[in-house]
Amino acid sequence: MNGPLLSIRDLSVSFTQGQQETLAVDRISFDIGRGETVALVGESGSGKSVTALSVLKLLPYPAASHPSGQIIYGGKDLLSASENELRKARGNEISMIFQEPMTSLNPLHNIEKQIGEVLKLHRGMSDQAARARTLELMDQVGIRDAEARLASFPHQLSGGQRQRVMIAMALANEPSLLIADEPTTALDVTVQAQILELLARLRRENDMSMLFITHDLGIVRKVADRVCVMTGGKIVETGPTAEIFDNPQHEYTRHLLAAEPKGEPPAADLSAEKVIEGSDIRVWFPVKKGFLRRTVDHIKGVDGVDVTVRAGQTLGVVGESGSGKTTLGLALSRMISSQGEIRYAGARIDAHSFRQMRPLRREMQIVFQDPFGSLSPRMSVAEIIQEGLRIHEPGLSDDERDAMVVDVLREVDLSPESRFRYPHEFSGGQRQRIAIARAMVLKPKFVMLDEPTSALDMSVQAQVVDLLRNLQKRHNLAYLFISHDLKVVKALANEVMVMRAGKVVEAGTSEQIFTSPRTDYTRALIAAAFDIEAVPGGVVSE
């Protein structure tokens, strides 16, 4: 057949809530050719995912509606197709991979049942045929020991493995079009590189078209033939990938291309005051079996780590999911029990009880990865920020607390008037600023930052990194910055520690780690993050 595989014409998407109507997508048009990958690029709220969900009519109708437009596939307008026609297309001719596999996979069903269900529903396969095809798909997407994994549940798999299961489900019926909605955002850089390589190979082998949705232009360069740039519900620029990168025409496209954390941290000052240090830190989780629940083994989350965080300095802790980064941070902060010596401001705290740690909590703060999950939806911004003050400075008057909230909101570049609003009324970047303000209002000396930018758009990441850098300089803060994003770490950290399987595989100044990495594992992380060269075979295991 001639012509594009999918043609979106003059599409609009509107959402109605009560009397209020919001136009999320405003008269956009683009085509996807056979065997072509088109990337839909833009920041959160630009309308990318809403466009993708419209293709298969997966939006929450009737709250969602289409004031204008057509989505032509196989000569039919999917927007006016019957439910029966859509059911035939979904998962059969057009498949979709969602951003977060843990929320897309059924936690109560094992992997065999979830992949097999697609095959039985659309192809009427028997249990035996579905099992054989499931094993073939799992092998195709690179899941090792496929037969042993059939009985596994989603929570028993790593993030990369779960995403591979989602890809296997999407490819089960050999679709003509695959819609991939931010399929690598939550993954480690090495796993991200593997997934992108896998999608590119499967596209070539199956002559499949792909609509790839992302906010990361670095990924687009690797996978897309053409790019459509979206902002405010409109497509503001479209063209071949090389042309968009080499000669962007629209101001917003230039903004996206420039939007990544920049600047170099000052050289590591190894003479700076030691704020917190740990020696031979171990966090072992017991594995219990049998009727009497005897301990038969241990999972070594952190296994003999030495660490020092200095005033005015940032120690970046990097590594893949499950390497022990966050566990180490929680142990140093005495949020979980551990073995080994921990000193804060020169005094040992590893034997402190919860009550003994309480006076130190104001000086040791944590900013978490997901601000929407760490901020109470029932509290206003003022109440959230004041909560720590009420505990640690109960003698303050209401006016004094309010003045401190106003000051700290200004310090994180938020309007003081925003203190009367609630977390759901803010963007992701603004919510992270609120979380930072909650920590900073107590004037801490040590801050553990646990993946504080990984859920944010590239431009917002850059803004948050600049904010953290300015706050550190102003207050001489010691940061433990936990991340799998080496670009962010390179922009912020004076020293870097690389972790794998609970151990430190390499540590040194930022300059040493990024210019002269000593281990294959560190080189693999850097190669995947900065697209320097192919990841060495056998270095990264999934």
Side-chain angles (χ1 to χ4, degrees), residues 59-339:
L59 291 170
Y61 300 97
S65 62
H66 300 285
S68 68
Q70 291 180 306
I71 300 175
I72 308 297
Y73 177 84
K76 295 178 182 176
D77 180 9
L78 294 178
L79 290 184
S80 58
S82 68
E83 189 59 34
N84 193 43
E85 288 173 319
L86 284 169
R87 202 175 290 122
K88 287 178 182 175
R90 290 171 183 154
N92 193 26
E93 297 172 34
I94 305 174
S95 285
M96 191 160 183
I97 305 168
F98 297 95
Q99 177 173 350
E100 179 42 72
M102 200 60 181
T103 58
S104 306
L105 296 171
N106 190 324
L108 302 179
H109 293 167
N110 64 27
I111 301 311
E112 180 179 8
K113 185 167 184 177
Q114 299 200 51
I115 300 176
E117 185 179 32
V118 180
L119 297 164
K120 292 173 187 176
L121 183 66
H122 287 282
R123 296 199 169 181
M125 285 187 176
S126 65
D127 288 348
Q128 189 175 355
R131 181 185 176 90
R133 175 64 175 149
T134 297
L135 284 169
E136 184 184 322
L137 285 163
M138 290 172 71
D139 185 60
Q140 191 178 14
V141 299
I143 296 176
R144 296 177 185 174
D145 302 320
E147 195 153 4
R149 287 295 189 187
L150 285 175
S152 297
F153 290 84
H155 72 273
Q156 296 174 306
L157 304 177
S158 70
Q161 287 170 329
R162 286 194 290 265
Q163 198 61 287
R164 287 168 194 266
V165 170
M166 285 291 297
I167 294 170
M169 291 171 67
L171 297 177
N173 294 310
E174 299 172 7
S176 300
L177 174 65
L178 178 66
I179 301 172
D181 187 4
E182 302 268 16
T184 62
T185 298
L187 303 178
D188 300 318
V189 287
T190 45
V191 180
Q192 184 182 90
Q194 294 164 17
I195 295 294
L196 294 175
E197 189 179 333
L198 169 65
L199 288 172
R201 176 173 61 80
L202 293 172
R203 190 196 94 175
R204 288 193 303 271
E205 290 174 357
N206 301 326
D207 193 29
M208 182 175 65
S209 301
M210 189 156 59
L211 175 60
F212 197 97
I213 294 162
T214 184
H215 64 257
D216 188 341
L217 279 167
I219 290 174
V220 171
R221 192 193 287 269
K222 300 174 187 175
V223 299
D225 301 304
R226 285 191 302 115
V227 180
C228 299
V229 182
M230 281 193 80
T231 184
K234 295 176 181 286
I235 291 179
V236 295
E237 186 166 0
T238 185
T241 302
E243 192 177 298
I244 293 290
F245 275 87
D246 296 340
N247 189 26
Q249 298 297 306
H250 197 276
E251 183 183 346
Y252 181 72
T253 310
R254 291 194 289 270
H255 159 75
L256 280 183
L257 286 167
E260 66 176 42
K262 289 186 172 60
E264 297 271 334
D269 181 4
L270 301 181
S271 66
E273 173 197 354
K274 296 176 181 178
V275 175
I276 195 162
E277 52 188 325
S279 176
D280 193 28
I281 303 298
R282 282 162 289 138
V283 182
W284 291 11
F285 301 102
V287 178
K288 297 178 183 290
K289 285 188 178 178
F291 179 73
L292 296 176
R293 309 301 293 160
R294 287 197 176 96
T295 299
V296 296
D297 200 358
H298 287 86
I299 295 171
K300 298 176 181 179
V302 176
D303 191 18
V305 171
D306 296 334
V307 58
T308 301
V309 189
R310 303 171 189 275
Q313 304 280 293
T314 299
L315 173 64
V317 183
V318 301
E320 297 173 296
S321 298
S323 61
K325 308 184 300 292
T326 299
T327 305
L328 174 63
L330 293 173
L332 285 176
S333 306
R334 297 290 296 136
M335 300 297 290
I336 59 174
S337 59
S338 62
Q339 302 296 314

Side-chain angles (χ1 to χ4, degrees), residues 342-409:
I342 301 173
R343 290 183 177 273
Y344 175 74
R348 284 192 67 167
I349 61 170
D350 48 273
H352 276 23
S353 65
F354 181 83
R355 184 182 294 275
Q356 288 172 308
M357 281 299 301
R358 190 167 182 177
L360 297 177
R361 290 290 175 213
R362 67 170 299 162
E363 299 179 12
M364 304 168 68
Q365 288 291 300
I366 301 177
V367 177
F368 295 97
Q369 177 175 354
D370 179 11
F372 201 64
S374 65
L375 301 177
S376 172
R378 296 180 179 86
M379 297 170 72
S380 69
V381 169
E383 290 170 330
I384 287 168
I385 297 174
Q386 285 180 11
E387 190 175 22
L389 292 173
R390 290 181 184 279
I391 294 168
H392 293 288
E393 295 199 30
L396 292 175
S397 67
D398 290 345
D399 287 344
E400 287 171 326
R401 272 195 301 270
D402 190 58
M404 292 179 76
V405 170
V406 168
D407 287 344
V408 80
L409 285 172

